[in-house]
Amino acid sequence: MTRIGPTGFRRSLTLWRLSLRAFCLSPWLGVVYAALTTRLGPRLLPGAVRATRALADRQRALALEWSGVDVPVAYPPAETAGDLRAQLLDRDSQVRRDWRWVAVDPYVGGMLAFVPTLFLLSGVWGLSTAVFGPRLSDDWGSLWYLFIPVYDTASAGLAGVLAALAFPLALFWAGPYVVRRHARYLRVMLAPDEAALLAARVEHLRTTRSDATDTRFAEIRRIERDLHDGAQARLVAMGMTLDAAEHLLESDPDAVRDLLVEARQSSTAALKELRDLVKGIHPPVLADRGLADAVRSLAMISPLRTEVVADLEARPEPPVESAVYFAVSELLANAAKHSGAGRGWIDLRHEDGSLRVTVTDDGHGGADAARGTGLRGIERRLAHFDGVLAVSSPVGGPTLMTLEVPCALSSPKTTSC
Amino acid sequence: MRVVLAEDHFLLRDGVTRLLGAFGHEVVAAVDNGPDLLGALTGLRPDVAVVDVRLPPTFSDEGLRAAVAARTEVPGLPVLLLSQYVEPLYAHELLTTGSEAVGYVLKERVSNGAEFIATIERVADGGTAMDPEVVAKLVTGRSRDEPFAALTPREREVLQCLAQGLSNAGSAEALFITEKAVAKHIGNIFTKLDLPPSETANRRVLAVLAYLDR
């Protein structure tokens, strides 16, 4: 929200500066656009699109932060310069809208953002006319400040009073007003229409669905392999051991004893492998007790001394619960492994239709969602449920990781399985 | 001993009943669901209860809930929990009803009959019996904590044995050391965990609790 006073004025200056940047960028975009049919154009296109998008993203972020105006985006994925070119030529694409905006912004947005400064300059001019007006008007023949002809001390005083008024007007009224108007203008210029938003949404769902299917398939392959290499092999070995024992029963009872011990150890090992496998698929404590207790259980066996605060009145849908559980498990394991932390805090709550989990540690920080493959994996799996992961991990710590998944809570009844 | 057995799987229920019979113990009630179990525990007051964690009707932690409820009503009622999975959280909840005459072991321990019976008897006598798996998990998890960091690896192993409920002789056998060495390690553990000798509290149990109950 826009605060009153100089903050608004300062912000209008920032917006004006950004318009200047658009002004510098627009001739370049014009050149690239004109060169599209040549061989050079497509090479320059990605860079130009990136620069445009960066500028637009900055403006969108400011509109949201300062005025609470959300300017939605709908960038379709673009693999090649050819895709970008097609998008640029499509009248309804986000890329085209961005370019149009860059061309217009220096005039509309820039002038709008300049209004508070204009007030200020007018004030400065007014004050100087109040001081030097009478003399200057003699030299120049006549001198006006707004609608006041300045020719003697009285009229100069009047101009001075009026000019003094311009300062508070510029700082306290025009600044905030302009910032609000600017955000709305940005929305008109940049927001895609319903159809484009819907298309972007469909695209997002298509990607996450295919992601989900891939993950599911990989998981099934892993389970199959684990069973094949683990429990199954052990059971076969056990059968063979027992068979050998059967043959030796008469001739060498001592050897039979050893074989039986071996068979029992195999059965124990097979059970342990099956147990670990089930834990990897769906941890029993999660099935029994739900997310809060399952996370408490994670905290109990974590090397970090971890406190859990949970505020859940009921349970989320099982797939969400499971995804969040494994995400928290991985975040906690990461914290224990890489952060050098001694303590951890987990906060679990359901607010405004979203499940929000925060994992904090007192380690040395430096975790980066863009680089860590583990974090990327968590992000992708949460994306199946429209969930997001935010990582704040300045070097030197602490690390704060927040994941949020929109979901409803169902009845607190435990599920059977 | 009079034993109440709660297990919904027919084969296991039958097997454990037969095993207990073979060692001269009587199963006074064999139930297959949570509500019946609570009734049997508070009504029959057995010498020990052997309880599966996951029972009908919810097939979640019905057995644990019944055991905790029974031990709240009848303090010190000996209960040995059996489970396919050893869950530290459940062990913790069971211990909050008191650290004596409780046990929590994996179901597969049944396959070693003599040892399993010994475990039941230890719990019936007021001892503790924690599965090596749960103890190992908690110990590796907590090993960075003060004051446990001060323990040597060997002392940690001895503490694990204590947590499982083993005697000095049992620990000595498990770790291939002499009983005297075990006693010495236990003494060091008590010192490092700052557990002074006392008449009322069992220091072995306190040491274990210091581990499990944090």
Side-chain angles (χ1 to χ4, degrees), chain A residues 84-395:
Chain A
L84 283 178
R85 183 170 180 273
Q87 285 177 24
L88 185 58
L89 296 178
D90 173 7
R91 295 174 54 82
D92 273 334
S93 77
Q94 185 74 56
V95 173
R96 174 69 165 243
R97 259 190 307 275
D98 286 1
W99 283 48
R100 214 181 299 149
W101 165 75
V102 169
V104 172
D105 192 58
Y107 311 103
V108 182
M111 280 182 185
L112 189 60
F114 197 64
V115 167
T117 316
L118 214 57
F119 269 77
L120 203 70
L121 290 178
S122 143
V124 172
W125 170 239
L127 282 187
S128 40
T129 41
V131 177
F132 307 109
R135 209 175 37 190
L136 282 176
S137 93
D138 284 349
D139 289 354
W140 294 351
S142 73
L143 179 69
W144 290 72
Y145 175 64
L146 300 180
F147 49 87
I148 300 160
V150 180
Y151 51 87
D152 59 5
T153 330
S155 58
L158 198 59
V161 171
L162 218 65
L165 276 178
F167 290 103
L169 223 56
L171 293 178
F172 294 97
W173 176 78
Y177 176 78
V178 159
V179 170
R180 268 198 307 276
R181 291 308 299 212
H182 193 276
R184 257 178 278 164
Y185 136 82
L186 197 72
R187 197 185 151 85
V188 170
M189 286 301 295
L190 287 182
D193 54 19
E194 288 295 313
L197 274 180
L198 204 60
R201 176 90 192 119
V202 168
E203 186 52 39
H204 172 76
L205 288 176
R206 202 186 62 77
T207 330
T208 54
R209 190 197 56 183
S210 88
D211 249 18
T213 327
D214 287 354
T215 325
R216 182 70 38 93
F217 185 70
E219 183 78 345
I220 289 171
R221 281 300 304 273
R222 182 185 67 80
I223 292 167
E224 191 260 321
R225 212 171 33 240
D226 280 2
L227 279 175
H228 183 264
D229 297 347
Q232 227 170 358
R234 286 194 194 282
L235 288 173
V236 171
M238 214 166 96
M240 284 159 60
T241 312
L242 288 174
D243 185 57
E246 196 181 335
H247 285 295
L248 289 173
L249 200 55
E250 302 287 299
S251 57
D252 191 354
D254 278 348
V256 169
R257 186 187 304 277
D258 291 347
L259 286 175
L260 289 179
V261 168
E262 198 186 314
R264 200 173 65 205
Q265 281 166 351
S266 277
S267 96
T268 308
L271 278 170
K272 184 168 163 31
E273 267 159 18
L274 286 173
R275 195 158 47 230
D276 290 346
L277 193 64
V278 171
K279 275 213 152 161
I281 301 169
H282 196 199
V285 65
L286 182 63
D288 291 354
R289 292 291 190 84
L291 191 58
D293 273 357
V295 168
R296 280 195 192 97
S297 167
L298 279 178
M300 280 184 86
I301 57 171
S302 167
L304 299 186
R305 186 187 259 259
T306 310
E307 281 169 39
V308 179
V309 178
D311 185 13
L312 297 180
E313 281 164 8
R315 299 178 63 164
E317 291 297 308
V320 173
E321 204 174 52
S322 172
V324 171
Y325 171 85
F326 283 111
V328 173
S329 167
E330 197 158 336
L331 292 180
L332 201 57
N334 275 348
K337 221 184 291 171
H338 305 301
S339 76
R343 308 193 54 148
W345 295 268
I346 301 177
D347 187 86
L348 259 162
R349 58 187 65 250
H350 189 263
E351 268 172 1
D352 309 325
S354 279
L355 181 65
R356 192 171 309 139
V357 188
T358 316
V359 179
T360 318
D361 67 57
D362 62 353
H364 51 58
D368 184 357
R371 275 183 303 150
T373 50
L375 291 177
R376 286 298 294 275
I378 295 175
E379 271 183 334
R380 280 181 53 184
R381 266 174 289 144
L382 290 177
H384 305 167
F385 305 95
D386 277 345
V388 289
L389 172 72
V391 178
S392 154
S393 183
V395 174

Side-chain angles (χ1 to χ4, degrees), chain A residues 275 288-289 297 303 305, chain B residues 61 87 90 93 108 141 214:
Chain A
R275 195 158 47 230
D288 291 354
R289 292 291 190 84
S297 167
R305 186 187 259 259
Chain B
D61 55 352
E87 177 49 61
Y90 294 171
E93 283 177 16
E108 69 208 47
R214 283 148 55 88

Side-chain angles (χ1 to χ4, degrees), chain A residues 264 267-269 271-272 274-275 278-279 284-285 287-289 293-294 296-306 336-337 340-342 414-417, chain B residues 53-54 57-61 64-65 83-90 92-93 106 108-109 111-113 115 133 137-138 140-142 144-146 212 214:
Chain A
R264 200 173 65 205
S267 96
T268 308
L271 278 170
K272 184 168 163 31
L274 286 173
R275 195 158 47 230
V278 171
K279 275 213 152 161
V285 65
D288 291 354
R289 292 291 190 84
D293 273 357
R296 280 195 192 97
S297 167
L298 279 178
M300 280 184 86
I301 57 171
S302 167
L304 299 186
R305 186 187 259 259
T306 310
K337 221 184 291 171
T414 50
T415 48
S416 61
C417 55
Chain B
V53 168
R54 195 173 270 195
T58 62
F59 285 103
S60 59
D61 55 352
L64 171 70
R65 285 172 198 273
S83 175
Q84 208 73 58
Y85 311 92
V86 169
E87 177 49 61
L89 186 73
Y90 294 171
H92 180 89
E93 283 177 16
L106 281 173
E108 69 208 47
R109 307 285 173 217
S111 65
N112 189 337
E115 203 181 296
E133 269 222 357
K137 240 180 220 169
L138 290 165
T140 45
R142 290 287 173 251
R144 268 208 245 161
D145 267 5
E146 292 291 331
L212 299 180
R214 283 148 55 88

Side-chain angles (χ1 to χ4, degrees), chain B residues 109-132:
Chain B
R109 307 285 173 217
V110 176
S111 65
N112 189 337
E115 203 181 296
F116 182 61
I117 293 291
T119 306
I120 297 179
E121 284 169 350
R122 200 159 74 220
V123 171
D125 286 345
T128 45
M130 287 293 147
D131 200 278

